[in-house]
Amino acid sequence: MPSPDFVVRAPYVVTCDDAMTVIEDGAVAVRDGIVAAVGPAGAVPSDGAELIEAAGRILMPGLVNMHCHAGDSLFRGLVENLPLEPWLETVWKAERAILDPAACRLGAELGLAELLLSGVTTVMDMFWFPEETVRAAKALGIRVATGGIFFDPPGMDGHLADRRLADAAAFFDAVEDEPLVFPGCLPHGTYTVSPEHLRSAGRLARSRGGFFSTHAAETVAEQATVTGRYGRRVIAHLAEHDLLGPDVVLAHCVHLDAAEIGLLAASGTHVVHNPLSNLKLASGFAPVPALLRAGVNVALGTDGAISGNDLDLWLAMRLAATLHKAVTGDAAAVATHEALAMATKNGARALGASDRIGSIEAGKAADFILVAIDKPHAAPLFDPVAHLVYSAGRGDVTDVFVAGRRLVESGRLLTADVAALVAGVNALRPAIAAAIA
Ligand SMILES: [Zn+2]
């Protein structure tokens, strides 16, 4: 075996492989951005390569956040204490007034910087001017899954519906050679996009080998609107238009009946659970245990910072592991290892990228993070997986690697001037506040 570029040794390597293997006193060797070897430290020689001693750290896969609107971070804390529909009206008013390509780039950099510092290495993002999200992601070094947005009313980017398909097709062309970009089509929802436009988005995504992602069954009102308009519930409506399948990622799925859960399971459609957004907007409790039991792949998302106020996938993981226990009265409703899988490899699977990311295994991309365990809330440490799910948080993430490139070192983001970024965002604050005054 050729010698690695570097080797990281840690007291625990939580691999998130199918057996959820935890290696005590483990090591990971990296060569050309790929995990060359993983195992007990004694079995992974450094062969003179750079050796990173991650003492007091858990090494684990980077987190995969499967539903986000990073650019919406510009509006963090702007609209509070409203349910989804009136909340969305106010959000859209602010977006319409502020968002041009430069503002979207700034918002994306803010959101993606927050994500990287918290240990997220791959994010699915739906936002206006997605090419600006890609520019921000490339500058910061994070993997991003994004693409053309579809929206039938006049968009907050000032664009009309008639150009959405061409823009989405151009997006695929533009990112063809970008190794860190997963392209797809992202219609906003079944209540804001016509069946015809949903179908054309789905056809484009499939013809280009990309994903299709939309908001689905988030609220009672959405189910009522779609049922009133089309005579079918949201998931049946998507099925009717051939928009379910292993290349489809549905955000939320809070209000599902048994038939809809059956449709999701039979089609291999992926669901993204966003517990904090659902709690804060009073959308409800997604039937996550029922989805898991039916065999649906459930990943996790933060949604935007405008609905959850931050982009903390650790909080999403802890809520996913706890709130369904209370809702169902079953303390085993979502098992510890299931919650960790939802934050890592289930997201990779939803992206069709299980062969590349989501776990620490030889041959996969070297996307991993270091989590400090030399702290009071990590002692004693009986079970590293339980610690990560129930005790750890984003403040514990010290180092982040994507494709073997170190992007965060000892809590410092190496790829952006965070102080300048925050100053730039704060300079926009008066204009944002005035937009909804
Ligand atoms: Zn959303």
Side-chain angles (χ1 to χ4, degrees), residues 67-69 126 215 218 251-252 274 277 303-304 307:
H67 184 67
C68 188
H69 313 277
M126 176 197 287
H215 296 108
E218 183 175 358
H252 298 299
N274 299 270
S277 171
D303 215 344
S307 56

Side-chain angles (χ1 to χ4, degrees), residues 194-228:
S194 69
E196 181 198 348
H197 290 160
L198 287 172
R199 287 183 78 111
S200 56
R203 274 197 299 269
L204 173 64
R206 283 190 178 136
S207 73
R208 304 298 293 261
F211 66 87
F212 175 96
S213 185
T214 192
H215 296 108
E218 183 175 358
T219 66
V220 170
E222 174 194 341
Q223 280 284 14
T225 300
V226 170
T227 304

Side-chain angles (χ1 to χ4, degrees), residues 248-315:
V248 175
V249 178
L250 300 181
H252 298 299
C253 292
V254 175
H255 297 280
L256 302 173
D257 63 19
E260 290 177 296
I261 293 175
L263 283 170
L264 295 172
S267 59
T269 303
H270 310 277
V271 167
V272 186
H273 180 36
N274 299 270
L276 183 65
S277 171
N278 298 160
L279 285 168
K280 187 158 184 259
L281 296 176
S283 302
F285 303 103
V288 169
L291 287 165
L292 292 173
R293 275 198 304 278
V296 176
N297 180 47
V298 181
L300 282 182
T302 56
D303 215 344
I306 191 160
S307 56
N309 298 53
D310 64 12
L311 305 177
D312 186 350
L313 202 73
W314 293 88
L315 177 58

